[in-house]
Amino acid sequence: MVEQPGARQDASSEVSESRTLLERLQQSEAVLERLCAPDASGVGEEAHLALRREVDALRQMRGELGLLLERSALIADTTHRLLNLPPEEMESGIRAALELLGQHVRAQRCYVGLLSEDAAQVTDAYEWCAPGTEPFGLEGFRGGSTADLSWTMQQFQAGRTVTVSDPSMLPPEAAADRGAFAARRVRAYVNAPLSLGGRLVGWMGFDSVGAPRNWTPEELHLLGLTGSALVTALERKRRDALLLQEKEGEQRARSLGIIAAGLAHEINNPLAYTTGNLEFLKQQLPSPQTPDGVDECHQVLDEALEGARRIRRIVADLGAFSRGDTGEEEAVDLKAVVESTLRMAANQLRHRAQVVREYDAELPRVRGTTTKLGQVVLNLVLNAAQAIPEGRYSENRLTVSLRSSVAGVVLAITDTGRGIAPEVLPRIFDPFFTTRRMGGGMGLGLAICRDIVNALGGGMMVSSEPGQGTTVEVRLPRLELAPTKDAVEERVPPSSGRRVLAVDDEPRVLDLLRRMLRGHELVTAANGREALEWLRTDRAFDLILCDLMMPELTGIDVYKAVRESWPGLHERIAFITGGVFTPDTQRFVEQVGNPLLTKPFQPAHVHGLLAASGARFQN
C-alpha cells in the first residue's frame, strides 16, 4: 500500500515515539520534583539532594532530545524538498533549502558548489544570503577556475572539512582564500567537501559575516548530512538527461544510505547517554516498597526506557539498511510475528476495519529475523490501516493471509481502502518518494521493506485499483531448523580496580562511562590527539575505549598510531561507535577484529569488555 495523503507511518511514527519519550521524561521529572519537595516523607536528606541533581539532569536531557528531534525533522524536510522536486523546480528548491539551513544555524550565507571531474572548475553554484548581507558572488563562479582556492581544494581532496573561526589565522599558502573571505567581511566560516562514489564533486558552506563565531559539532553534522542530499539533487539535475531510470534509482539509493547511516550515528550519541542515565537513575531511586509515589516513578522510568529502546531498534534498523546488513538469520515463525504485529496495531485498526485472518494449518519457518520481519509486517499493516478512512469499521476489511508454498511462505495483506493511482504505482518503492503532504513521512517505509525482503532472498509485489483497495504480497523462503550444539557459557571472573582510558568527543558519553565504571580508575580524553599525548607518558591501561568517528583524528587514526608506537597496546583497544557507516570503516573493523561497543550501550556491555580484557591480559 502506498503512502496516502495525511497518513502517518515510518518517519512520523518514529517522531511520535520520540515525542512519547519526551513526555515520559517530563513525567519522570514531575514525579521526582514531588519526591524532592520539602514536605515529602520517607526520603532522606541525602536522597533529596541526589534526586534534585537527577531532576536537573533529566531537564537537560529533555532539552537536548527536543533539539535533536528538531534537527532530524529539518533534515527530513530538506531531503523531501530536494529529492521530490521536478527538474524545472530544482533551482528554486535548492535555494529554499539553503535558506532553511542558513536560518536554522543563524549563518549569514549558505552556499553549495559543484566541481568538474578533475575539480579544476566550478560547474554549478547556488547561494543564499540573509537580509542585508552582501552576496559572496559564488554563482558568478560557474565555469570559472578553482585555482584561487587551491589550498581549500587540497583540504577537500584529503576529505577534510575546513572550519575557520578567524580567517587571519589561515596558513601562508592560503593567502588567496584569506583575501577572498576578508574582502567580503567573513569573520568565520565552515566548508565541507561533498563526495559521490569516492570522488570529490563539490562543497557546501556557512559564513558568519561581520562577527566571529565557533561552529558546533551538531552544526558540522547537519552540514554533512544535508550536503549529501544537496549533492544528490544537483547531480540528478546535471545528469538527468544522460542516466537511465534504473541508474537514477541507484543514485538515490546511495544517498539514502549516507543519510540513513548519518542519522543513525547522530541519534545514537545522545541516545547512549539518555538510556544510560535513565538506567542509572532507576538504580539510584529508593526501593519500590518504600513510600507512595516511588512505585509511580519506577513505572514512569520503565516506560521512558522502553521508549528509548524502541528508538534504538528503529535506529539500528536504519543503520542496517544503510549498510545492507541483514543481521544474524534464523528460522522465524511468521505466524507468530504477524499475530504480535496485529496486537501492536490494534489501536490503529479498531476504528477503521475488521481484521480477517486466513492462515494455512501448516506453515514452514522462514528465513529472517523476528525484528526485521516484524518491521516489514508492521509497516504494511499500518500502511493498509492509513489507506482506510476512520468511522466505517463495519464496511471495511483488512485481510491477512499466510499460505504455504513450495519455496516457503506467502504473506498477503489486502485492504479495502483508497487504492493507488496507476501513474503512482511504479514509484512506490522509490526511496524518498511520497504522496503525503509535507511532514507526513519521509517515503522510506516501502523502500526499507523491499530491501529487507530482497536481502532475505524473497520478493514483494503490489496490486491495486483506485477506490477498490490494495494487496501487498510478500514471498519469503523457508529455513528449516538445523540441529544445534548445546552452548557452553564462558564465565569470566568479575573485574575490579582496572584502569581504563576512554576517548570520545561527546562529553556526556564520558560522564556516563564515569558512572558505569565506578570502582575502576577512569582516565578520559576528549579527542584522539589528547589520548595519544596521554599515552606518551602513561600506557598502563587494561582497556582503551575509543570512539571511531571523531573530528581530526578518528579512532582508526588512534589505533594505527598506537600500533606503530607501542606494539601490543593496540590489542587493548575496544571501539565505540554510533554506527559504522563507511565501507572503509567497515573493512577496518572487520580486519583488525578488536571489540566493538555500539551506542547506546548498557553497563553490562562495558563491564563485559573490561572483564574479558582482564582475563586476556592478566599477566
Side-chain angles (χ1 to χ4, degrees):
M1 298 91 192
V2 74
E3 302 162 332
Q4 301 290 347
R8 293 186 177 273
Q9 185 243 347
D10 294 330
S12 58
S13 58
E14 293 174 23
V15 171
S16 176
E17 290 178 354
S18 300
R19 293 296 180 193
T20 299
L21 176 58
L22 279 175
E23 293 170 3
R24 293 300 183 191
L25 289 173
Q26 189 170 15
Q27 291 176 23
S28 298
E29 184 184 321
V31 172
L32 291 175
E33 286 277 12
R34 291 200 299 272
L35 289 174
C36 293
D39 58 348
S41 61
V43 182
E45 182 178 350
E46 185 176 348
H48 271 292
L49 293 174
L51 289 173
R52 169 54 60 188
R53 287 193 296 270
E54 296 304 329
V55 167
D56 295 338
L58 270 180
R59 186 174 294 118
Q60 184 174 1
M61 281 190 287
R62 187 159 56 86
E64 291 172 350
L65 185 56
L67 183 61
L68 176 64
L69 288 175
E70 179 184 348
R71 186 168 292 116
S72 298
L74 174 67
I75 293 171
D77 187 19
T78 304
T79 301
H80 174 95
R81 287 172 182 264
L82 294 171
L83 296 185
N84 286 286
L85 283 172
E88 63 273 15
E89 296 178 15
M90 186 65 70
E91 293 200 13
S92 61
I94 290 171
R95 290 191 177 89
L98 292 176
E99 179 179 2
L100 198 64
L101 295 170
Q103 291 175 342
H104 181 78
V105 301
R106 299 184 302 280
Q108 281 69 54
R109 295 193 191 99
C110 184
Y111 43 84
V112 62
L114 280 188
L115 298 170
S116 57
E117 290 280 339
D118 58 2
Q121 286 186 317
V122 178
T123 59
D124 215 348
Y126 300 89
E127 180 180 13
W128 168 82
C129 294
T133 301
E134 176 191 4
F136 197 104
L138 185 64
E139 295 184 357
F141 277 66
R142 290 175 179 172
S145 171
T146 59
D148 290 340
L149 302 173
S150 58
W151 180 82
T152 298
M153 289 297 123
Q154 290 173 9
Q155 308 308 306
F156 290 168
Q157 292 286 8
R160 289 191 284 267
T161 296
V162 179
T163 306
V164 177
S165 56
D166 184 357
S168 67
M169 301 301 292
L170 287 169
E173 56 268 32
D177 309 63
R178 182 169 58 249
F181 286 105
R184 291 163 178 81
R185 300 181 61 246
V186 176
R187 299 294 301 277
Y189 68 93
V190 56
N191 280 194
L194 303 178
S195 298
L196 193 65
R199 179 178 67 87
L200 178 67
V201 297
W203 80 97
M204 183 177 177
F206 299 142
D207 284 353
S208 176
V209 177
R213 64 170 290 180
N214 292 318
W215 305 99
T216 68
E218 291 79 9
E219 288 168 340
L220 297 180
H221 276 301
L222 181 64
L223 184 66
L225 292 173
T226 53
S228 298
L230 272 169
V231 74
T232 301
L234 290 167
E235 280 291 298
R236 189 186 66 174
K237 171 181 176 288
R238 188 170 70 170
R239 302 174 62 187
D240 190 60
L242 304 176
L243 292 177
L244 298 173
Q245 185 177 1
E246 294 79 9
K247 189 68 176 178
E248 184 182 9
E250 294 172 6
Q251 174 86 9
R252 298 174 74 186
R254 281 198 297 272
S255 294
L256 169 63
I258 293 170
I259 295 169
L263 277 172
H265 184 269
E266 177 80 356
I267 291 171
N268 272 331
N269 253 343
L271 191 59
Y273 58 76
T274 297
T275 305
N277 285 330
L278 285 172
E279 293 274 12
F280 177 79
L281 176 59
K282 183 180 175 183
Q283 294 171 5
Q284 299 302 307
L285 284 176
S287 169
Q289 285 77 28
T290 55
D292 294 341
V294 178
D295 280 337
E296 180 187 3
C297 189
H298 273 274
Q299 179 182 351
V300 169
L301 284 174
D302 285 340
E303 292 172 356
L305 279 167
E306 175 58 27
R309 293 184 187 111
R310 291 177 69 183
I311 296 174
R312 179 172 59 192
R313 288 193 292 270
I314 292 168
V315 173
D317 286 337
L318 198 59
F321 173 66
S322 71
R323 297 190 300 270
D325 177 21
T326 59
E328 189 73 23
E329 292 181 1
E330 58 188 356
V332 178
D333 180 353
L334 189 57
K335 178 180 175 182
V337 171
V338 169
E339 284 298 312
S340 173
T341 301
L342 290 175
R343 286 193 296 272
M344 285 192 294
N347 189 55
Q348 291 283 331
L349 297 171
R350 65 166 51 97
H351 301 301
R352 298 177 184 271
Q354 302 175 58
V355 178
V356 178
R357 296 167 170 83
E358 297 178 351
Y359 302 157
D360 282 359
E362 298 292 332
L363 293 167
R365 300 291 179 105
V366 298
R367 181 187 303 276
T369 69
T370 300
T371 298
K372 291 190 180 300
L373 291 179
Q375 178 184 356
V376 170
V377 177
L378 181 60
N379 199 307
L380 299 179
V381 167
L382 291 179
N383 253 359
Q386 297 294 345
I388 301 170
E390 290 190 71
R392 297 182 179 179
Y393 172 84
S394 61
E395 301 175 18
N396 288 294
R397 301 284 186 278
L398 190 147
T399 303
V400 182
S401 70
L402 290 168
R403 305 191 308 274
S404 179
S405 68
V406 175
V409 175
V410 178
L411 163 69
I413 299 177
T414 302
D415 65 67
T416 55
R418 304 180 184 94
I420 304 170
E423 64 273 14
V424 171
L425 194 59
R427 298 195 62 192
I428 61 174
F429 291 113
D430 287 356
F432 290 118
F433 174 75
T434 176
T435 58
R436 298 180 187 176
R437 293 189 296 268
M438 186 67 65
M442 290 175 65
L444 296 178
L446 288 176
I448 291 176
C449 287
R450 184 183 61 174
D451 184 82
I452 291 173
V453 172
N454 288 350
L456 295 173
M460 287 181 65
M461 61 177 295
V462 179
S463 58
S464 182
E465 185 175 344
Q468 300 300 313
T470 303
T471 296
V472 177
E473 190 172 275
V474 179
R475 296 180 178 272
L476 293 165
R478 68 174 66 216
L479 181 65
E480 302 298 344
L481 288 169
T484 58
K485 297 180 181 179
D486 293 334
V488 178
E489 182 178 353
E490 182 181 354
R491 297 186 179 275
V492 181
S495 62
S496 61
R498 303 287 184 186
R499 292 193 81 227
V500 180
L501 173 62
V503 190
D504 201 301
D505 61 324
E506 174 52 68
R508 286 181 180 80
V509 171
L510 297 177
D511 291 341
L512 175 63
L513 287 171
R514 287 190 187 94
R515 297 187 184 101
M516 288 183 172
L517 291 173
R518 286 177 179 170
H520 302 279
E521 181 182 348
L522 180 67
V523 176
T524 62
N527 54 61
R529 198 175 305 281
E530 186 178 320
L532 293 177
E533 289 175 358
W534 190 283
L535 289 172
R536 288 188 182 95
T537 58
D538 182 2
R539 294 179 289 281
F541 293 103
D542 298 286
L543 181 65
I544 300 172
L545 294 171
C546 185
D547 191 17
L548 263 176
M549 306 304 294
M550 296 182 292
E552 296 189 27
L553 291 182
T554 67
I556 298 175
D557 297 326
V558 171
Y559 174 89
K560 291 178 178 177
V562 170
R563 184 180 60 185
E564 181 178 345
S565 301
W566 309 289
L569 186 61
H570 66 282
E571 297 178 6
R572 303 195 178 202
I573 295 176
F575 295 110
I576 306 174
T577 178
V580 179
F581 58 86
T582 68
D584 289 343
T585 307
Q586 281 184 267
R587 282 193 294 271
F588 168 80
V589 171
E590 292 167 0
Q591 288 170 1
V592 301
N594 287 50
L596 190 67
L597 188 63
T598 303
K599 299 174 184 177
F601 46 80
Q602 298 177 1
H605 300 152
V606 180
H607 288 290
L609 278 178
L610 198 53
S613 174
R616 184 176 178 185
F617 299 107
Q618 57 185 345
N619 296 323

